[in-house]
Amino acid sequence: MSIVMKPKATKAEVDEVIQKVKSTGLKVDVSSGEYQTVIGIIGDEKKVDFDQIKAMSGVSDAIRIQSAYRLVSRGYIPKDVKVKVGTVSIGGDEPPVYISGPCSIESYEQLYRIAKEVKEAGAHILRGGAFKPRTSVHSFQGLGIEGLKHLKAVSKDLDMPTITEIRSEMDVDTVAKYTDVLQIGARNMFNQDLIEAAAKTGMPIFFKRGFGAQIDEYLSFAERIVAKNNRKIILCERGILPLGGSFKPATRYTLDLNAIPAIRKETPFPIFGDPSHGTGRRDLVLPMARASIAAGAHGVMVEVHDRPQEALSDGPQAVLPDELRQIIKVCDKIYETINQSESA
Ligand code: PEP
Ligand code: MN
């Protein structure tokens, strides 16, 4: 249920409604807009007497929302949400934001070299994995804390905010000390303990769609972040696996471009495209980055390596720094063209 207060409702009236909801054991998420306050109910809304709430002083309307992702829906937060990372503002009408860097942090020198190049190419946020989710136990698992230390040092040396993946809820407090954004990867999209632990830090969460997740499942798990009072969510379409046994795609995953405008319609939170994991192929990263921005993405995440042949993970999909420069140039142009034609 969403309880919409009258524009002139007093603080005492708002508080009384909140108390009434809380007395049933449910939690609330309060959205105070310019004109009015909307109170969202977290939990089983059947516990609240709809008619009694409607009759309370200062209440304009009470709307039943059955959706499992009501707190992240536009019904609840109509206006685009912008997420701040350092001085970078993401979402809404902001120009595209570029998150770039290597798949894995391999050493301080490797990260510094690549970070310098991606910064010069126009990237805003540096990425690099230290706790890598890998299919095989025999593959490089990431440098762990040592990698996080390199990330923090390079961030300071180059004055660039950072993002890194958090794989276990046991590491949340540690990882949070070393980065500006916590990434929850595709393999952990359904991991509710991890999501809730990450959300509780209050930090921005880069929340990737699972490769087998329907959009409503994806948003239902994003709901858990808002339910922990964290509205700093950045969504990311990173490719799905087509269902069915006999169909053999040309790419590692299939970047679901439909999801970008579909998700924008459902929710006010920013959505990114990830053409690197979405294709798994260096030669397809530029066209699918362009397509992501054309579809309405608020930014793209692109993996870069200056020596892809030596990369310890995801070398085949890493673009060179010069290719990133080109991607950013073209994506900015596409964004400007769309912006101009839509405001004309
Ligand atoms: C990554 O960004 O390095 C990563 C592992 O991504 P995903 O979770 O989308 O596979
Ligand atoms: Mn990767």
Side-chain angles (χ1 to χ4, degrees):
M1 186 191 294
S2 272
I3 304 162
V4 183
M5 301 301 293
K6 288 180 180 158
K8 288 203 176 126
T10 62
K11 187 174 175 305
E13 286 169 332
V14 173
D15 287 345
E16 206 172 324
V17 174
I18 293 173
Q19 278 322 312
K20 169 107 177 148
V21 175
K22 284 189 171 168
S23 70
T24 63
L26 295 175
K27 290 188 184 142
V28 293
D29 178 80
V30 183
S31 181
S32 303
E34 254 169 83
Y35 300 107
Q36 58 196 167
T37 297
V38 181
I39 301 163
I41 295 182
I42 301 165
D44 181 5
E45 64 186 38
K46 289 195 286 300
K47 285 189 186 160
V48 182
D49 189 309
F50 194 70
D51 293 333
Q52 283 181 5
I53 295 274
K54 269 187 150 178
M56 287 180 78
S57 163
V59 173
S60 162
D61 205 357
I63 308 154
R64 277 189 212 281
I65 308 174
Q66 296 304 333
S67 158
Y69 54 89
R70 47 192 173 268
L71 300 177
V72 296
S73 72
R74 285 201 185 265
Y76 183 51
I77 310 174
K79 275 201 346 205
D80 285 339
V81 172
K82 292 188 186 180
V83 178
K84 272 244 171 184
V85 177
T87 57
V88 187
S89 187
I90 303 170
D93 56 2
E94 297 288 352
V97 167
Y98 302 98
I99 300 178
S100 194
C103 179
S104 293
I105 300 162
E106 298 166 10
S107 66
Y108 173 86
E109 291 71 27
Q110 171 254 14
L111 186 64
Y112 183 86
R113 266 191 345 257
I114 298 172
K116 197 160 176 294
E117 297 253 35
V118 303
K119 186 177 180 181
E120 279 165 16
H124 304 92
I125 300 173
L126 174 66
R127 64 150 285 145
F131 291 96
K132 295 303 301 173
R134 302 308 299 271
T135 303
S136 169
V137 71
H138 305 296
S139 306
F140 177 60
Q141 310 290 303
L143 294 179
I145 307 272
E146 187 194 337
L148 295 177
K149 288 184 179 160
H150 298 327
L151 186 67
K152 183 111 184 163
V154 172
S155 164
K156 193 160 167 270
D157 292 347
L158 293 175
D159 189 24
M160 236 186 144
T162 61
I163 173 172
T164 196
E165 178 160 355
I166 168 90
R167 214 176 47 196
S168 157
E169 74 258 32
M170 289 184 301
D171 296 329
V172 167
D173 293 337
T174 309
V175 179
K177 285 191 215 132
Y178 291 94
T179 189
D180 301 287
V181 181
L182 295 174
Q183 173 169 323
I184 294 181
R187 287 157 194 80
N188 273 312
M189 192 217 87
F190 291 100
N191 185 339
Q192 67 190 67
D193 293 328
L194 174 62
I195 295 167
E196 291 176 3
K200 276 200 253 170
T201 63
M203 290 172 65
I205 310 290
F206 192 82
F207 187 53
K208 286 189 160 194
R209 179 183 178 191
F211 36 77
Q214 308 287 345
I215 289 174
D216 59 346
E217 292 173 317
Y218 180 34
L219 296 181
S220 299
F221 278 84
E223 181 93 345
R224 294 184 175 280
I225 302 173
V226 179
K228 289 282 173 228
N229 287 316
N230 185 340
R231 289 191 177 196
K232 297 177 199 152
I233 306 173
I234 306 160
L235 300 164
C236 179
E237 165 55 43
R238 52 77 71 213
I240 52 172
L241 286 173
L243 295 172
S246 60
F247 185 77
K248 192 172 178 300
T251 51
R252 187 176 173 199
Y253 295 98
T254 299
L255 192 68
D256 180 10
L257 286 173
N258 295 345
I260 293 171
I263 286 172
R264 273 192 73 152
K265 213 167 165 191
E266 290 287 311
T267 150
F269 293 98
I271 166 97
F272 271 54
D274 174 350
S276 302
H277 295 90
T279 64
R281 282 176 48 176
R282 177 177 316 130
D283 58 330
L284 302 186
V285 173
L286 168 68
M288 295 315 278
R290 291 193 305 231
S292 299
I293 297 298
H298 296 99
V300 285
M301 170 176 264
V302 176
E303 286 188 347
V304 170
H305 206 293
D306 57 349
R307 300 170 195 164
Q309 69 284 5
E310 292 172 19
L312 296 182
S313 62
D314 285 351
Q317 70 195 34
V319 298
L320 296 166
D322 272 348
E323 293 175 287
L324 177 70
R325 198 179 313 271
Q326 181 64 10
I327 289 170
I328 293 178
K329 215 165 109 192
V330 178
C331 285
D332 278 346
K333 269 203 187 135
I334 290 172
Y335 170 78
E336 279 160 31
T337 307
I338 294 172
N339 220 22
Q340 279 161 8
S341 61
E342 280 177 358
S343 55

